[in-house]
């Protein structure tokens, strides 16, 4: 069953009009109408509100076609990944022409893609094969995320979405770095590379901060 059909069925079973549902979700009636006609999908936060209202699981709603919405993020991130890798190869080629350290350029080209690639894998895994139940080994595991099933499902989904966005931003940063290295001296290139690697490492903490803020808001 598609999400539009699922939502209409749940609303009907709850004896709610589109206006009443919109008021409870703090969105417009037109938004509800668009969802039920398949012309749009709600945000992850609205989905959580729907789960609470209709007493259903987030995974159940997500499996009803909503995940199609996030395919654009996959296409964007993969495209940026290939572009960034292509520019890194160009930089390595130019390094050989300029008699620079090919090994350094090659190792740095690999290094700056490790974290974005890992973020993309996290996104794909948690979006399309998330851990169904809270456990001690796999998934986004914090005290708040493991408090109940809804928070657990939300954490896995929202965390992965943020990681995909982080991957896209980091890949854009890599593209800029690759272009800069074509015009700067070797020493400056090393300094910029070290700075970018630090940004990559720190970026892994950003999704955690945002997820915990959302969980705190929903748990109140």
């Amino acid at each position: 069953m598609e999400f539009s059909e699922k939502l209409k069925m749940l609303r009907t079973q709850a004896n709610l009009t589109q206006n009443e549902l919109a008021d409870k979700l703090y969105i417009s009636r037109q938004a509800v109408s668009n969802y039920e006609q398949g012309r749009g999908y709600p945000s992850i936060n609205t989905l959580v509100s729907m789960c609470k209202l209709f007493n259903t699981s987030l995974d159940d709603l997500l499996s009803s076609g909503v995940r199609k919405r996030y395919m654009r993020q996959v296409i964007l991130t993969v495209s940026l990944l290939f572009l960034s890798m292509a520019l890194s190869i160009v930089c390595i080629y130019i390094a050989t022409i300029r008699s620079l350290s090919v090994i350094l350029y090659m190792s740095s080209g690999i290094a700056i893609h490790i974290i974005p690639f890992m973020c993309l894998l996290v996104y794909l895994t948690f979006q399309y094969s998330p851990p169904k139940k809270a456990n001690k080994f796999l998934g986004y595991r914090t005290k708040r995320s493991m408090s109940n099933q809804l928070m657990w499902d939300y954490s896995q989904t929202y965390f992965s979405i943020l990681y995909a966005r982080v991957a896209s931003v980091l890949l854009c940063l890599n593209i800029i770095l690759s272009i800069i290295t074509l015009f700067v001296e070797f020493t400056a290139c090393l300094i910029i590379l070290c700075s970018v690697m630090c940004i990559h490492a720190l970026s892994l903490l950003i999704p955690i901060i945002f997820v915990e803020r959302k969980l705190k808001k929903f748990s109140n």
Side-chain angles (χ1 to χ4, degrees):
M1 183 182 292
E2 289 295 319
F3 173 75
S4 56
E5 299 170 324
K6 182 79 172 181
L7 177 60
K8 189 173 183 178
M9 181 188 73
L10 290 171
R11 178 178 63 79
T12 303
Q13 290 176 347
N15 294 318
L16 295 173
T17 65
Q18 287 188 346
N19 279 325
E20 289 171 337
L21 178 58
D23 290 340
K24 290 180 180 296
L25 297 176
Y26 300 102
I27 57 177
S28 67
R29 189 206 63 81
Q30 186 60 47
V32 174
S33 177
N34 289 339
Y35 300 158
E36 292 189 355
Q37 295 181 50
R39 293 202 299 255
Y41 289 114
S43 67
I44 187 64
N45 296 332
T46 302
L47 283 171
V48 170
S49 299
M50 288 180 181
C51 290
K52 290 182 176 180
L53 179 62
F54 297 126
N55 192 28
T56 187
S57 70
L58 182 60
D59 187 65
D60 188 28
L61 285 177
L62 288 174
S63 63
S64 303
V66 182
R67 284 197 174 97
K68 295 178 183 177
R69 176 188 180 193
Y70 303 119
M71 185 54 66
R72 290 176 295 179
Q73 184 68 57
V74 176
I75 296 172
L76 172 63
T77 307
V78 171
S79 300
L80 289 172
L81 177 62
F82 278 109
L83 177 58
S84 181
M85 292 173 65
L87 283 174
S88 293
I89 293 173
V90 170
C91 290
I92 294 170
Y93 175 73
I94 293 177
T96 59
I97 297 177
R98 295 167 61 183
S99 300
L100 299 175
S101 175
V102 177
I103 295 178
L104 176 63
Y105 275 82
M106 186 176 296
S107 59
S108 62
I110 295 173
I112 62 175
H113 289 96
I114 290 176
I115 290 180
F117 184 72
M118 182 189 72
C119 290
L120 179 59
L121 285 181
V122 169
Y123 172 77
L124 293 174
T125 301
F126 281 33
Q127 277 292 314
Y128 299 99
S129 184
K132 301 296 183 182
K133 301 292 183 180
N135 62 87
K136 297 181 180 180
F137 307 102
L138 181 64
Y140 180 86
R141 304 181 306 280
T142 64
K143 184 177 180 180
R144 287 194 178 99
S145 70
M146 300 175 73
S147 59
N148 58 63
Q149 188 62 42
L150 180 57
M151 292 298 97
W152 174 260
D153 292 340
Y154 173 81
S155 300
Q156 314 315 307
T157 302
Y158 189 50
F159 181 70
S160 65
I161 291 172
L162 291 180
Y163 253 40
R165 292 173 182 171
V166 166
S168 297
V169 172
L170 293 182
L171 288 170
C172 289
L173 186 62
N174 289 351
I175 292 171
I176 295 173
L177 170 64
S178 298
I179 295 174
I180 290 176
T181 56
L182 299 176
F183 303 101
V184 299
E185 296 296 326
F186 184 71
T187 303
C189 180
L190 284 177
I191 295 174
I192 295 172
L193 175 62
C194 291
S195 300
V196 169
M197 291 303 298
C198 289
I199 293 173
H200 277 221
L202 291 174
S203 67
L204 294 176
L205 300 175
I206 296 175
I208 299 174
I209 296 172
F210 279 92
V211 172
E212 288 302 306
R213 283 182 178 178
K214 288 291 185 180
L215 292 179
K216 183 178 180 180
K217 176 182 177 181
F218 288 134
S219 61
N220 291 335

